[in-house]
Amino acid sequence: MKLYGYIRVSSKDQNEDRQKLELLEIGVPEQNIFMDKQSGKNFERPQYKRMLRKLNRNTVLFVKSIDRLGRNYTDLNEQWRIITKEKGADIVVLDMPILDTRREKNLLGTFISDLVLALLSYVAENERINIKQRQAEGIAAAKLRGVKFGRPIKEIPDNFDEIVERWKRREILQDDAAQLCGMSGSTFYRLVHERKEQ
């Protein structure tokens, strides 16, 4: 059997080492480990799709936990069906030994595995919803405290119009004009166009 591993972290600054180390320890070759750094809300992930194409009846897919595979209840159940039924591959969820399709390949084993998967998929999606809600509540609370989000608004110097006129008359270059205003060239250009539209 050929062994594959899949790793997912939600953002670029999250560390995947723990998942990778566990996959290597159980014997998954490093070249057979696929990793995406993005949300688990759907399966539109490049490395996941690449890995999926390699799965067949002679392969086993290892994941650290069910939420690393995905967090959307419907999609997660559908992908599980594609991997196990259409592709014929086995799946092993390392932190949930009951989700190991290599064991109990009978009706009861399949039933228990499907039941546990449905429950865990529901929990994973529910957690994703809760995370979004907590995030929205945190942002709302921060706004009430006066926290500003996004880029700080650039102060326009008093001599901005004069510098713009000099730039338009080609007395100075855009970079020099921007430097005189204490801003980047792109900010200077954007502010010129915004004022023109006003």
Side-chain angles (χ1 to χ4, degrees):
M1 296 291 270
K2 202 164 188 181
L3 308 184
Y4 288 94
Y6 180 70
I7 297 171
R8 185 188 64 77
V9 290
S10 298
S11 60
K12 301 225 184 290
D13 58 344
Q14 279 187 315
N15 194 319
E16 70 279 357
D17 291 347
R18 188 173 52 87
Q19 292 179 66
K20 187 173 184 179
L21 189 61
E22 200 157 336
L23 292 171
L24 291 170
E25 281 176 359
I26 59 164
V28 178
E30 190 162 3
Q31 69 271 16
N32 290 357
I33 296 175
F34 295 83
M35 182 183 63
D36 285 304
K37 290 194 172 193
Q38 63 188 88
S39 166
K41 68 180 179 181
N42 62 46
F43 284 85
E44 292 302 312
R45 299 178 232 137
Q47 290 302 308
Y48 177 81
K49 288 179 172 182
R50 202 169 140 235
M51 179 223 40
L52 191 61
R53 288 193 295 270
K54 296 191 176 288
L55 299 180
N56 59 47
R57 295 195 179 285
N58 300 314
T59 58
V60 182
L61 171 63
F62 291 88
V63 291
K64 169 77 176 115
S65 60
I66 199 69
D67 65 336
R68 296 304 87 203
L69 198 55
R71 287 189 180 271
N72 178 296
Y73 177 80
T74 307
D75 290 349
L76 187 51
N77 280 285
E78 175 62 10
Q79 290 301 310
W80 187 277
R81 186 193 65 74
I82 290 168
I83 292 167
T84 59
K85 307 288 190 295
E86 288 182 20
K87 298 279 187 176
D90 280 308
I91 302 179
V92 178
V93 179
L94 297 173
D95 68 358
M96 184 62 60
I98 199 166
L99 287 180
D100 181 344
T101 61
R102 299 173 303 175
R103 301 168 52 185
E104 301 292 332
K105 286 197 176 267
N106 57 32
L107 191 58
L108 180 61
T110 302
F111 172 73
I112 291 170
S113 184
D114 289 350
L115 190 63
V116 172
L117 172 68
L119 179 63
L120 292 175
S121 302
Y122 169 78
V123 170
E125 178 162 359
N126 203 41
E127 178 59 16
R128 183 178 69 87
I129 291 165
N130 288 340
I131 288 168
K132 285 180 77 174
Q133 184 177 343
R134 287 193 296 267
Q135 185 180 35
E137 288 167 358
I139 290 169
K143 284 182 177 177
L144 283 174
R145 290 192 312 271
V147 175
K148 302 282 185 210
F149 289 89
R151 290 184 180 177
I153 297 170
K154 191 73 183 170
E155 290 291 322
I156 298 176
D158 294 336
N159 63 344
F160 182 76
D161 293 326
E162 176 190 323
I163 293 170
V164 169
E165 286 306 314
R166 288 180 60 199
W167 170 66
K168 284 180 179 176
R169 290 193 304 263
R170 298 184 182 191
E171 293 173 16
I172 54 175
L173 297 172
Q174 180 178 324
D175 288 342
D176 297 330
Q179 194 171 15
L180 287 169
C181 293
M183 58 186 69
S184 70
S186 58
T187 302
F188 175 79
Y189 192 74
R190 181 177 51 80
L191 289 173
V192 168
H193 283 278
E194 282 177 5
R195 286 173 90 104
K196 186 178 178 183
E197 287 171 8
Q198 290 170 3

